[in-house]
Amino acid sequence: MIPKKVQQRFFIPAIIVGLALSALSTSTSGAALNGAALYEHYCAACHGNQGKGGVGVPLALPDFLAVANDDFLRKTIRLGRPGRVMPAFQQLSETEVDAIVAYIRGWAPAHTAIVETSPIKGKSERGEKLYASFCAACHGDRGEGSHGTGVTFSRPRDLPVLAPALNNPGFLAAASDVMIKTTLIRGRQGTPMLSFLKRGLNEQDIDDIVVYVRGFAQKPLPLPVKAGADEPPTIERMSPYGMQQTLDKLKNAIGGANLRLIRTESFDQAFAGKEKENKHHVVVDSCDFNFLNQALKIDPRVGLFLPCRFILSEHNGKVSISAVNPKRLSEIFNNSELNQLCDQMYKVYVDIIEETVF
Amino acid sequence: MNFNASLKIMLWALILMLSVQTARAEELLMVRIERPFDDAINDLQIAIQEHGYQVARIQRVDVGLASGGYATAEYRLVFFGKPAEMREIEDRYPQLLPYLPLKIVIFAEGNSALALSYNPALLQTFFKIDPLQSRVQQWEKDIRSILNQLSRP
């Protein structure tokens, strides 16, 4: 029989280690450490099953994989691109990240990776001028990248592949100066990103541009990344009116805001059928298709906000009106441009609701 | 180091690990379906029903957009839920109604389709209703399973 003292000494820590291990393994759950499966689960929706691109940029490009070393890929996966759709995958284990990186590597022939990390020297003021004439048209005046994401839905767009944000803290933390320089020298065949040696810049010009791009790290981002994290999930107001009057006023307010009224029905009508429906919770759906059309260019996933829905609830004779708070929901998209649109949508919702209860 | 101190350290390590994991749950679930849109949405409805839910409505956003004169590929919202669950929430937790019934957005991207939903776990982050914990976990499990089923070739 093991003495009690010893039992405690080894048994309790063993339980804790066991628990800790099982906690770790939940993040690996199901998917064995198989790079292809992990890639399909976490990345393929945006980057395509074969890395050909979609919402995200293509990854299976020989010119990209020739300049991106494993450290760049690992950091990009971990840090994401804050405010630029690409999520930060903090929940993955080291081995999972490595498995994904190895899988992505398989798309290009073996190469000698860039290991050089020492900073490049150059003149930022010169780089600024060159940047304005050679880069800003695609990557934005302040390095903010092109608008929207890669999915087009047969919509016309100026670039077949999105130009990434160069001012992004995730990009700047992952990319070394030498990687940026080599990207400018080689370009990326199959995308609008060209070789700037071939476009007539010399090595000194390129160094100056690299130094200027590096300097984006010191400048504030043009758009905030986390804008709505502290917002309440819904917008809600009490109505001084009864159900029918609130409903009538809401419909007027919706029309006044130029939204198209889609339908009015009890919340559970589709489930319960007309006879059994609960008339205390009424859904009013509407949509501004012009606004939606704009929003889809910024992020094809905005359907999650649709339709513009108002809920009227009657409880003990008191009527309240509520809606999703677009500012809060926008947080889960990691898209700063979308945050801006959601600010506008928030104002429209508040105006409609306040006019209803006025 | 004595026993108590090492125990403490290990406990903290564990708590840290668990909290990092829960704080970092995926908030948006999205999959690629390597099939033409019509097959994809058909399979989606079947998958929803196979998981015991009722499709309440399919909203044809693309039709609305087209009627406004905007060019678009197929874009639909599929609303679904279990009638008894929806009725119970209506009675007891009406504050959740703006986020319900459950919803999957599905749209065409060339010859494939993308489907996405918010993670129902988000509802717990938002509303923190303890009695709904297991219900919400079940929804998350089901939506993940529905989406995984679709993403398989």
Side-chain angles (χ1 to χ4, degrees), chain B residues 9-27:
Chain B
I9 290 174
M10 277 194 268
L11 255 177
W12 275 114
L14 175 67
I15 289 168
L16 208 81
M17 247 172 346
L18 287 173
S19 62
V20 166
Q21 269 187 348
T22 42
R24 285 290 164 182
E26 292 167 278
E27 296 184 315

Side-chain angles (χ1 to χ4, degrees), chain A residues 100-215:
Chain A
I100 294 173
V101 168
Y103 179 68
I104 292 175
R105 280 271 164 251
W107 287 326
H111 71 292
T112 40
I114 300 172
V115 283
E116 179 65 53
T117 52
S118 51
I120 281 173
K121 294 195 180 64
K123 296 191 204 65
S124 180
E125 308 80 62
R126 253 195 107 238
E128 179 170 8
K129 294 203 184 77
L130 292 166
Y131 179 90
S133 29
F134 287 94
C135 323
C138 295
H139 290 282
D141 287 340
R142 294 187 280 175
E144 68 274 22
S146 48
H147 298 293
T149 70
V151 173
T152 63
F153 305 116
S154 350
R155 290 154 190 282
R157 59 182 301 135
D158 25 353
L159 287 178
V161 179
L162 178 83
L166 303 178
N167 68 351
N168 194 272
F171 167 71
L172 291 168
S176 66
D177 283 1
V178 179
M179 178 191 163
I180 300 176
K181 176 173 178 170
T182 320
T183 302
L184 298 189
I185 290 175
R186 290 181 76 119
R188 291 197 184 157
Q189 204 172 37
T191 81
M193 178 69 196
L194 306 166
S195 156
F196 284 88
L197 271 190
K198 289 190 191 141
R199 296 242 3 236
L201 295 185
N202 61 35
E203 211 178 322
Q204 186 57 57
D205 297 333
I206 288 179
D207 285 352
D208 292 344
I209 295 176
V210 170
V211 170
Y212 175 67
V213 166
R214 181 60 63 195

Side-chain angles (χ1 to χ4, degrees), chain A residues 16 23 44-46 49 151 153 233 260 263 265 267-268 270 278 281 290 293 300 303-304 306 309 324 328, chain B residues 7 21 27 30 32 34 54 56-57 59 64 67 70 75 77 81 90 97-100 103 107 109 114 126:
Chain A
I16 291 173
C46 289
N49 281 353
V151 173
F153 305 116
R260 196 195 298 171
R263 81 174 62 80
E265 66 181 25
F267 173 80
D268 62 0
N278 175 346
H281 299 284
N290 180 32
N293 186 52
L304 270 190
L306 299 179
R309 165 168 287 195
V324 164
R328 180 62 187 87
Chain B
L7 184 70
Q21 269 187 348
E27 296 184 315
M30 175 152 104
R32 176 176 293 273
E34 296 277 11
Q54 186 182 323
R57 175 185 309 286
Q59 176 111 9
S67 73
Y70 303 104
Y75 200 113
L77 313 177
E90 219 182 329
L97 294 185
Y99 285 90
L100 293 172
K103 170 166 69 182
F107 59 87
E109 187 193 66
L114 292 175
F126 285 172

